[in-house]
Amino acid sequence: MGDDGYGELKLDLLGSWRLRRGAVVLHVATRQQRLIAALAIRGPSLRSYLVGQLWPEYPDARALESLRVTVHLISRQVPDLMVNAGAILSLTDHVEVDLHRIRARIRALGQAGFDDDVASSLHELRDAEVLPGWYEDWVIFEQSRLRQDRLRAFTAISRLSLARGNSEVAGAAAEAALELEPLYEKAVGLLIAAEMRQGNPAAALSAYERYR
């Protein structure tokens, strides 16, 4: 997409909702935040889907009017954020979304292992919670989906780190998995193996006892 004079936008959904243009935080109301978040999570969406997702308690006519007003406000406040293609709404291609970056990182772990910057990947994944404090069904579904993807990623990091002889990172990744799912047997086994590799039999026994 060409330069339209507005500049790159960054949308954060991990930790808290935030929209930035460079170092400047752009403030929009909660109703607009919800629509922007829904488009970032789902991608291009039919208006009929969005009204059912965001205003399920409203009659159809009122829900469509709420969507129309919300789209108008977003288009006025952040003109380069959305694409309004009639029945379908989407975010423009030049909006960078942190959730998409995390998902790409997880896919890379599953497809091709990881590079030497694994500690950075581990730290970024450990803090990757989608919109904590939002309790709508469509947000809870995404929170659960990313949680399971992170759990698998931590397990992969731990297993591959053990294979490379990096027991410290292996242990940290296993602990991160257990923070999400304390009774995840694979992660317990990896943590025990990492502690034993580091010469910490007492810590390995403690991990086993907690699991038992």
Side-chain angles (χ1 to χ4, degrees):
M1 182 173 293
D3 184 1
D4 55 13
Y6 291 109
E8 192 76 9
L9 290 163
K10 298 182 186 299
L11 175 62
D12 298 333
L13 301 179
L14 304 177
S16 62
W17 195 101
R18 184 172 63 168
L19 181 63
R20 294 171 290 151
R21 193 189 304 282
V24 178
V25 176
L26 305 178
H27 298 283
V28 297
T30 300
R31 183 165 62 174
Q32 288 90 278
Q33 290 180 15
R34 290 168 66 248
L35 176 56
I36 294 166
L39 293 174
I41 288 171
R42 181 175 169 83
S45 301
L46 288 168
R47 288 175 179 261
S48 57
Y49 168 82
L50 292 166
V51 296
Q53 177 175 259
L54 299 175
W55 294 279
E57 73 281 10
Y58 286 5
D60 289 349
R62 184 180 174 190
L64 285 167
E65 177 62 16
S66 293
L67 177 61
R68 187 193 67 77
V69 171
T70 303
V71 169
H72 172 74
L73 290 172
I74 292 171
S75 300
R76 188 178 66 184
Q77 293 170 342
V78 194
D80 52 334
L81 180 64
M82 282 180 41
V83 175
N84 185 350
I88 297 177
L89 300 173
S90 63
L91 299 184
T92 55
D93 292 339
H94 59 283
V95 180
E96 180 182 322
V97 182
D98 59 353
L99 176 61
H100 299 172
R101 185 181 69 251
I102 282 290
R103 289 209 170 282
R105 182 74 64 93
I106 291 172
R107 285 194 298 271
L109 286 170
Q111 295 169 0
F114 51 79
D115 56 25
D116 292 333
D117 195 26
V118 64
S120 175
S121 295
L122 181 57
H123 176 75
E124 189 173 22
L125 287 171
R126 205 163 193 166
D127 295 334
E129 294 283 349
V130 179
L131 296 173
W134 291 39
Y135 300 112
E136 293 169 273
D137 289 345
W138 58 277
V139 179
I140 291 172
F141 176 81
E142 186 63 22
Q143 290 167 344
S144 177
R145 189 163 74 103
L146 184 60
R147 183 185 182 91
Q148 291 303 312
D149 289 343
R150 289 164 62 215
L151 186 62
R152 286 189 287 269
F154 290 140
T155 305
I157 290 172
S158 185
R159 185 180 64 250
L160 292 170
S161 294
L162 274 177
R164 292 182 176 188
N166 192 338
S167 55
E168 184 176 351
V169 170
E175 287 176 344
L178 292 171
E179 288 173 3
L180 295 178
E181 184 52 71
L183 297 180
Y184 190 38
E185 186 174 352
K186 287 183 179 179
V188 173
L190 289 165
L191 178 58
I192 290 171
E195 295 291 4
M196 292 299 291
R197 293 266 187 99
Q198 294 180 81
N200 299 323
L205 179 60
S206 177
Y208 170 75
E209 292 290 350
R210 287 196 303 271
Y211 173 71
R212 187 180 68 169

